[in-house]
Amino acid sequence: MTFKIVLLPGDGVGPEVLAQAVKCLHAVEETFNQHFIFKEAPVGAIAIDKKGVPLPDATLQLCRESDAVLFGAIGDPKYDNNPDAKFRPEQGLLQLRKELGLFANIRPVISHPTLLDKSPLKKNIIDGTDFVIYRELTGGIYFGEKKLNPEGTKASDLCEYTEEEISRIAHLAFKAAKGRKKKLTLVDKANVLESSRLWRKVVTKIGESYPEVALDFLFVDNAAMQIILNPKQFDVILTENMFGDIISDEGSVIGGSIGLLASASIGEESALFEPIHGSYPQAKGKDIANPIASILSAAMLLEHLGLTEEAWAVKKAVDKSLKKGIVTPDLNENSQYGTNQVGDFIAHNIVDIEDDTLMNDENIDLGKSTII
Ligand code: IPM
Ligand code: MG
């Protein structure tokens, strides 16, 4: 089959890691008789530089016409410490999420057996962790009214949710829990926030239609503690936008590196796939950024397109790179492998998952092993 995929490399290490995911998608084409039509467009700081806005209309239009969007990373330090900047790169991503109606952000958190000692958390605590965060992505404090008084001395951000916004992601999360360990934890701050009380009410009601799923509730401060005290207790975590942003970075510590965590952002008509990490500007152009989060985002994209076997092959090839230690320096400070070599190794192993011969360490060093 043929699918239209829009590539949004964005800023910092975005283009480098995205290029590795694209190699893997080429490997999928080669192996599984699928065809991807790739179109690339600017977003973020690079779009501000080139087109004057973080999300040019043409980029948005391309995304609307696509079967899926693969996103790199966004952000540039030159905007971080300038509160007066007219545009910020991150607005591009937020606008894209809103315009494409990507209301559900899905972030799996698993511990890899080979990486247990990379996490600062104790092995026995994280071993066997397997949960997924369903983060609401187009509402809450991110999108509520923002105010700054004329003197610039008082500011506010409104956190608003409607029953409809809560209900559509809650259904997705319950359905996911039904197919997993049948537990759903709503993370909120219902002891303080009115919006959280609405979440509890709506989610409790929806829970009645999913009697096989055990529903429980945690205040976000307690959840932040439980995620590192006993992450194995979780199956599906459902939460609002800001809490989801915070606890998903926290969850990445379990996997051993934020460079491993992929995510899917799903709407009624569009879908976007991106690593949860930022643009890591310090690593830009150094060939050290971990491409695995981007490659696993491509695997989630394949799953979304119904290409389950293809997605499995990508995940298998990633596992193999982790097992064999073909990893970037964030996972092994003595590693001599760079972003490109890890990408080559994984792409090669999608084409021939059993073939170890071409991919010995010597070939990787010489850059001979690439299939692309
Ligand atoms: C994320 C990021 C974004 C967010 C930023 C880049 C706007 O941190 O996807 O988690 O806050 O949602
Ligand atoms: Mg974040």
Side-chain angles (χ1 to χ4, degrees), residues 1-108:
M1 278 179 77
T2 299
F3 299 95
K4 285 188 271 180
I5 308 216
V6 170
L7 303 174
L8 304 180
D11 306 321
V13 296
E16 297 163 50
V17 294
L18 190 78
Q20 312 314 313
V22 173
K23 272 182 197 167
C24 293
L25 292 175
H26 282 310
V28 164
E29 287 184 302
E30 193 174 310
T31 317
F32 293 93
N33 194 25
Q34 303 293 353
H35 183 49
F36 303 119
I37 301 171
F38 294 107
K39 292 211 171 130
E40 197 174 308
V43 69
I46 181 106
I48 303 179
D49 294 347
K50 280 192 188 157
K51 309 275 177 190
V53 287
L55 178 65
D57 290 344
T59 299
L60 180 59
Q61 192 51 34
L62 264 186
C63 293
R64 285 194 203 284
E65 291 159 6
S66 71
D67 292 308
V69 179
L70 197 55
F71 192 93
I74 206 156
D76 188 309
K78 75 179 174 203
Y79 296 94
D80 290 349
N81 300 319
N82 177 6
D84 299 325
K86 185 161 168 239
F87 292 115
R88 318 182 62 76
E90 288 80 359
Q91 285 168 337
L93 180 58
L94 298 177
Q95 213 186 323
L96 195 58
R97 290 172 177 170
K98 193 73 174 175
E99 293 283 345
L100 297 178
L102 306 173
F103 64 86
N105 182 233
I106 304 162
R107 300 186 161 184

Side-chain angles (χ1 to χ4, degrees), residues 79-209:
Y79 296 94
D80 290 349
N81 300 319
N82 177 6
D84 299 325
K86 185 161 168 239
F87 292 115
R88 318 182 62 76
E90 288 80 359
Q91 285 168 337
L93 180 58
L94 298 177
Q95 213 186 323
L96 195 58
R97 290 172 177 170
K98 193 73 174 175
E99 293 283 345
L100 297 178
L102 306 173
F103 64 86
N105 182 233
I106 304 162
R107 300 186 161 184
V109 178
I110 48 170
S111 62
H112 293 272
T114 43
L115 297 177
L116 292 176
D117 57 355
K118 293 289 164 281
S119 173
L121 301 173
K122 291 197 180 95
K123 274 190 198 177
N124 64 326
I125 289 185
I126 57 172
D127 192 12
T129 299
D130 179 1
F131 66 88
V132 57
I133 300 172
Y134 273 66
R135 166 188 175 195
E136 201 290 328
L137 203 60
T138 51
I141 197 166
Y142 272 58
F143 292 96
E145 190 188 357
K146 301 187 181 308
K147 284 196 209 157
L148 180 67
N149 71 353
E151 298 76 37
T153 52
K154 189 176 169 192
S156 67
D157 301 270
L158 184 65
C159 179
E160 242 177 355
Y161 268 108
T162 64
E163 187 177 347
E164 166 58 22
E165 285 172 316
I166 299 167
S167 137
R168 59 188 178 179
I169 186 167
H171 279 289
L172 287 187
F174 273 110
K175 283 184 191 137
K178 236 173 115 171
R180 294 174 47 102
K181 291 177 272 172
K182 300 187 173 44
K183 182 176 174 194
L184 190 145
T185 305
L186 175 66
V187 168
D188 64 24
K189 190 71 188 170
N191 50 348
V192 178
L193 302 177
E194 200 58 50
S195 54
S196 285
R197 288 191 276 272
L198 182 63
W199 271 84
R200 271 202 190 198
K201 202 173 118 201
V202 174
V203 171
T204 305
K205 182 89 197 106
I206 292 173
E208 290 167 12
S209 351

Side-chain angles (χ1 to χ4, degrees), residues 201-265:
K201 202 173 118 201
V202 174
V203 171
T204 305
K205 182 89 197 106
I206 292 173
E208 290 167 12
S209 351
Y210 298 88
E212 60 280 74
V213 177
L215 171 64
D216 68 356
F217 307 96
L218 273 185
F219 296 138
V220 62
D221 46 352
N222 187 11
M225 184 171 74
Q226 295 298 330
I227 284 173
I228 46 174
L229 270 184
N230 178 15
K232 279 179 268 195
Q233 69 183 288
F234 296 111
D235 179 19
V236 175
I237 293 180
L238 169 63
T239 191
E240 62 97 68
N241 204 345
M242 174 84 131
F243 299 157
D245 180 44
I246 297 168
I247 63 171
S248 56
D249 268 29
E250 191 192 12
S252 75
V253 173
I254 295 168
S257 166
I258 195 164
L260 296 172
L261 255 77
S263 83
S265 302

